[in-house]
Amino acid sequence: MSHVFSTDSFNFAELGYVVIESNYLERWLVFGRDGIGLHAEYLSEDMLSFRIDQHARRFLIKKGTSEDLTSLGFRIKDENSLQNILGILKKRNISVKKGNGFDASLRGVDAFWEFSGPKGLKIEIFTQPILTETPLNMLSQGFVTEQFGMGHVAIVSKQPEKLIEFWQEIFGARISDRIEQRMSGVILDITFLRMNPRHHSLAIAATRGLRMDPLPTRIQHLNLEVKNLEDMTQAYHRCKELGFEIAHGIGQHPNDLELSFYVITPSGFEFEVGWNPIAVNENEWKQNKYNRISAWGHEPENATAFSRWNEFARGFLSLFRSEYSPF
Ligand SMILES: [Fe+2]
């Protein structure tokens, strides 16, 4: 069943925006504007937004107690594809709600539909972003977006098969490759899923055997791709100088060959700034398997970061926590 949809619907979805809920808006402002180098705007006292390109919004950060990324907004190429997705959701008995006009304008879209996705993440879909001619005022020289979407997200799951099926069936995602990594005595299996030429819009990680998820946040990291190498290295130095904890220093992944570093956001999940990943050419792509997550680098930079890397040892508590799945 998922086969039919994945063949028909591939290459019509991209990550469009994210919604984050945090009590630390001022810290997020410093992090996004002065650290990563994004264009920042307060929409009101309790709402902050970031832009990285012509889209009026890419990040909406609302004051609130979740301290997490709460919604992923996916842009769907056209009305037909949107109707196709709504049809699949209906068949799957997943209830969908149309967002109101105010919430749509906050997200920089003309309209959107929302439903509950894996791990209680709200999945929002839209076709028309609101674009702006207002020049960008940001430290970074630019980000790779367009048909690649705004970046990618990594999620740790105790039921990765269900998550993979979810993204394949609803968004036509295809598996780009897999990595298995041994760490702290457990094996982590990571599956990379693409929805467009970006090597992956989603990475799903799971421990082999006993399934664990020690993370308090729904996502493990969010990634943006900068256009120039120095935008990545300078963001690294700025984040460090501003006192944001570097989870993993600069390194390179063996599959998409992206050079990147990981810094911890004010909400606790990680933010990856990457440069120069390879894009997928559908005619030539061969699925590969790798046995480590980094070809080099990505070393934990201090004690706290190191203990985060070892969180899987404590992940055992999560065995007793249930994880929501719409499938
Ligand atoms: Fe990543």
Side-chain angles (χ1 to χ4, degrees), residues 152-154 192 200 203 220-224 253 256 258 260-262 271-273 293 298:
H152 72 244
V153 168
F192 296 82
H200 56 284
Q220 194 274 329
H221 74 262
L222 170 69
N223 161 291
L224 292 187
H253 292 299
D256 65 357
E258 187 171 43
S260 67
F261 74 93
Y262 295 79
F271 196 113
E272 179 184 26
V273 179
I293 198 159
H298 288 149

